Amino acid sequence: MGDSGARPAEHEASPNPMPIVPLQVNMNIPSVTPLEVQRKLVERGSQKGKGIAVFTSGGDSQGMNAAVRAVVRFGIYLGCKVYFIKEGYQGMVDGGENIVEANWASVSGIIHRGGTIIGSARCMDFKERPGRLKAAKNLLDRGITNLVVIGGDGSLTGANRFRQEWPSLLKELAETKQITGEIASKHAHLNIVGMVGSIDNDFCGT
């Protein structure tokens, strides 16, 4: 059947068409430079001579050996003298053979092993200032002012307190002639890195 009505045009011209203005780009506008993120380049041997120690504290947890291995090998790569502190804070307080220098081979073939190859123990002595004073002296005797603590809440809390007390511990050791003023000045700061090793579910990710 035919369509008797008039069909409107599909595209009717607007009574007041907008003028078409060509896009003009000012090529003289200077480009915006993004903010640069400065990163310290970590190169082989860049920390040569610095003393760093790693220890595990509290209850054993998965991944401790892998963390110990990473600390030792990267520390050696940077040129540091890396030490094991055996049996956690107790080994730090007792000193002697509990603090031994590590090498590349010391951490070979340990990733798959459970527990921690350097031992872990709870330490009542470290909770008292005389114990922390002994620990500080043992570290200074080996030029250690960088600690990597692998443990849970109590272990990391103890490390933070040790860091806060470090200046006063050095002062007391110098006043009692256990260290020289030069050593106290040279090792005035204690750097702490805390790595969570816990099965208590009281840290994010554990």
Side-chain angles (χ1 to χ4, degrees):
M1 297 178 62
D3 187 356
S4 58
R7 182 173 296 178
E10 293 184 4
H11 301 284
E12 294 184 356
S14 172
N16 298 307
M18 293 289 294
I20 299 176
V21 180
L23 178 63
Q24 296 182 2
V25 179
N26 186 352
M27 301 302 293
N28 295 322
I29 297 177
S31 60
V32 178
T33 304
L35 294 176
E36 295 182 0
V37 179
Q38 296 183 359
R39 287 191 284 176
K40 181 179 179 181
L41 296 177
V42 180
E43 299 178 351
R44 181 188 293 271
S46 61
Q47 307 299 323
K48 187 174 182 179
K50 291 187 177 180
I52 180 173
V54 58
F55 67 99
T56 51
S57 177
D60 294 355
S61 70
Q62 63 276 21
M64 280 186 165
N65 285 329
V68 169
R69 178 182 182 272
V71 171
V72 169
R73 291 200 166 173
F74 195 63
I76 292 173
Y77 172 83
L78 294 176
C80 301
K81 293 188 71 174
V82 186
Y83 293 85
F84 289 140
I85 300 178
K86 299 180 179 179
E87 304 302 330
Y89 284 113
Q90 191 64 56
M92 194 187 303
V93 173
D94 294 341
E97 295 182 356
N98 291 300
I99 306 177
V100 295
E101 189 170 354
N103 57 47
W104 196 271
S106 301
V107 290
S108 295
I110 68 169
I111 291 181
H112 64 285
R113 296 173 60 180
T116 164
I117 64 164
I118 54 177
S120 177
R122 302 188 187 280
C123 178
M124 299 305 295
D125 293 336
F126 194 79
K127 293 184 178 181
E128 304 297 330
R129 184 176 173 86
R132 295 192 292 275
L133 195 66
K134 290 180 181 178
K137 176 65 165 57
N138 289 329
L139 296 181
L140 290 169
D141 286 344
R142 296 161 178 82
I144 300 171
T145 53
N146 303 281
L147 287 179
V148 179
V149 188
I150 306 171
D153 180 47
S155 302
L156 301 184
T157 299
N160 187 50
R161 183 172 183 181
F162 192 41
R163 179 190 62 80
Q164 291 173 338
E165 284 189 348
W166 186 257
S168 65
L169 293 172
L170 263 60
K171 182 179 179 182
E172 185 172 341
L173 288 170
E175 289 175 347
T176 55
K177 307 299 181 183
Q178 297 184 60
I179 62 172
T180 65
E182 182 182 354
I183 290 177
S185 178
K186 182 179 179 181
H187 303 295
H189 301 285
L190 178 66
N191 301 306
I192 299 284
V193 171
M195 300 179 69
V196 179
S198 175
I199 60 172
D200 295 337
N201 198 31
D202 55 358
F203 276 101
C204 180
T206 68

